[in-house]
Amino acid sequence: MSNGPILGVVGARPNFMKMAPVVKALRKKGISVHLVHTGQHYDRAMSEVFFEELGMPKPSEFLGIGSDTHGRQTGKIMIAFEEVCERYEPSRVLVCGDVNSTVAAALVAVKKGIPVDHVEAGLRSFDREMPEEINRIMTDHLSDLLFVTEKAGVVNLAKEGIEQGVHLVGNCMVDTLMEHRVRAFSLGPWKTYGVEEKSFGLITLHRPSNVDVEENLKGLIGALSRLSVEIPLLFPLHPRTRSRLREFKIDLPERMKILPPLSYLEFLGLMAAARLVLTDSGGIQEETTALGTPCMTLRENTERPITVEMGTNHLVGVEPGTIVDLGLRLLGKEAPVRSVPPLWDGRAAERIADLVATRV
Ligand code: UD1
């Protein structure tokens, strides 16, 4: 086994807040970690800003891959990352989440005989049309240590025959949230947009199934427009969604305010102060659970069932009438009392570092 450093791989926006506390916890134990950024996300607002705010060390390697088709993007990451592995001879490769960068790096590492550790293992939506679901399944089957956020993940892995190396450790994204929430809230980012605390809704939409099909996107915007009559809505746009709205010539109502992609702190502050969040993201379902903010998930399934069990998240689907009905109902009643899943206590990364330390 190599006694080289650990390589931590990140590529897309949701990776950064998961990797940051793990790198910190490993370094605190004196373990050498180098960050490799694939460049899957490359706009300053989608990447650099997060490094600055999370106090993450600059990546030792930036692969500059950028956007492409799934096959080409994954393939390019593999070619570039293999060369990095040859230079560093890492003892282990650490990946997180379910993006194309995650599976690409895991596959390269395991084929070179380097053990892979997966942060956020075991989540399943059981929907193989989601690119992330394929990435999750593949990565888990390649991994040596599998760090799970919620108990359903352990059950899912066992059903696929994976029991060795599985550890329920909690949620690293919540570690980051707990570290930054007070500061994020105190910045009062909602004031910039002329809305008041607990009197606005916050939207994010970027999933291909919701935004790439004209009819689906029109239906969702129609439902959200109806809700904007009741409450002003802030809508930071992912680049994919921005280009689809333009392409399909969809107009937005006045009370739906379009914003550019936001920094981590600004978005966290808005989530904490929102009356209601409407999203098709995976991570935001977890962040709203940790904050106790009511959330409507505009998808047919969730790989994060604990967020629904805790009572803040509602899996509403994508049918416009159902979204409007539930939205009106939630706006008309008090938010449920905040209830946080076991081990979402801000110490998941420490547990991960303790486990990784036994293997280096
Ligand atoms: C990726 C992840 C998804 C995650 C999301 C968070 C995969 C399969 N999907 O989806 O799980 O929730 O990131 O944002 O890995 N673009 C830019 N600038 C950027 C990045 C992207 O303009 O910095 C545009 C490009 O037009 C690109 C499109 O966004 O084609 C999609 O980017 P891509 O990384 O392929 O997937 P995401 O939809 O961001």
Side-chain angles (χ1 to χ4, degrees), residues 301-353:
N301 53 54
T302 178
E303 59 287 327
R304 292 157 158 101
I306 193 103
T307 60
V308 177
E309 285 164 36
M310 290 292 124
T312 38
N313 187 23
H314 302 264
L315 190 60
V316 65
V318 293
E319 202 279 309
T322 318
I323 295 171
V324 172
D325 287 349
L326 181 65
L328 294 177
R329 209 148 27 93
L330 292 179
L331 289 174
K333 64 176 195 184
E334 289 295 305
V337 179
R338 176 169 164 266
S339 148
V340 177
L343 299 173
W344 291 22
D345 58 359
R347 305 191 56 190
E350 280 173 40
R351 293 183 196 104
I352 290 174

Side-chain angles (χ1 to χ4, degrees), residues 11-15 39-47 66-70 73 98-102 130-132 135-136 206-208 238-241 243-244 280-283:
R13 187 167 59 177
N15 292 158
Q40 176 175 343
H41 283 173
Y42 45 91
D43 285 355
R44 190 181 142 69
M46 299 286 282
S47 171
S67 303
D68 213 323
T69 61
H70 281 262
Q73 186 179 59
D98 54 16
V99 303
N100 287 343
S101 301
T102 310
M130 268 178 98
E132 294 83 358
N135 296 344
R136 291 180 197 121
H206 75 283
R207 214 147 275 297
H238 184 286
R240 173 195 287 280
T241 312
S243 60
R244 294 297 175 267
D280 61 4
S281 153

